[in-house]
Amino acid sequence: MKVAIIMGSDSDWPLLEPAVKQLADLGIKNEILVASAHRTPGKVHDFAAGARERGVKVIIAAAGAAAHLAGVVASFTTLPVIGVPINSTSLGGIDALLSVAQMPAGIPVATMAINGAKNAALFAAQVLALENPALAEKLTAHREEMAREVEMKAARLLEKIGK
């Protein structure tokens, strides 16, 4: 199992790092690349076209502004591509969100929220879990842990306010 993560700029790394950590926590290998759909299109092509042969099962593509990276990647592979729009302009990431979400018919890209890299990692894991029962169990355990954390925080709050 391997997920590839491609980002349009090294400045996107702080937003992608939680996705890498989430994948590692679930035992999913990853590869990372910085490449621009506009400035290094050949590199993007080679990355996407060769992903399946490298054992990649899902690709996460993150970019801001025009955010064409996810769509360009999707145009070169039939692997699932998950787009993460990045807030990198004065438009608050809406420009990137629309660029990723409005793919033309025939070249789909799953679209996460603006800066939604952690959810992209979890969505990639869900795709991989279709063929991996052990990973599906890890995802279930992850959700159960999140529920426990909510309950613990709620109990602490109620104790604090005397209810």
Side-chain angles (χ1 to χ4, degrees):
M1 290 186 311
K2 185 163 52 170
V3 172
I5 298 173
I6 183 170
M7 62 196 87
S9 170
D10 64 321
S11 64
D12 299 333
W13 172 246
L15 298 170
L16 274 292
E17 192 172 11
V20 173
K21 182 181 180 328
Q22 184 66 67
L23 292 170
D25 288 349
L26 293 168
I28 299 170
K29 296 176 184 170
N30 64 78
E31 65 178 53
I32 299 169
L33 180 70
V34 177
S36 167
H38 302 106
R39 293 180 295 272
T40 59
K43 189 173 184 179
V44 172
H45 169 269
D46 294 347
F47 162 83
R52 187 180 304 275
E53 289 75 30
R54 294 190 311 276
V56 172
K57 302 292 185 195
V58 181
I59 298 172
I60 297 171
H68 293 118
L69 186 59
V72 171
V73 167
S75 74
F76 294 126
T77 184
T78 57
L79 292 172
V81 176
I82 304 168
V84 179
I86 300 295
N87 176 5
S88 65
T89 70
S90 61
L91 297 175
I94 297 297
D95 49 346
L97 175 64
L98 293 174
S99 292
V100 176
Q102 296 297 324
M103 289 299 301
I107 307 294
V109 172
T111 306
M112 297 295 113
I114 297 167
N115 297 346
K118 187 171 181 180
N119 270 355
L122 289 166
F123 190 78
Q126 288 176 267
V127 171
L128 296 173
L130 292 170
E131 301 290 327
N132 188 318
L135 180 55
E137 289 177 21
K138 287 180 182 180
L139 287 167
T140 298
H142 173 70
R143 287 191 178 192
E144 290 169 351
E145 177 60 27
M146 288 190 305
R148 280 191 295 278
E149 288 175 9
V150 168
E151 294 299 327
M152 287 181 356
K153 289 177 183 179
R156 283 195 300 264
L157 173 65
L158 293 176
E159 184 179 301
K160 181 179 178 178
I161 63 173
K163 298 284 180 181

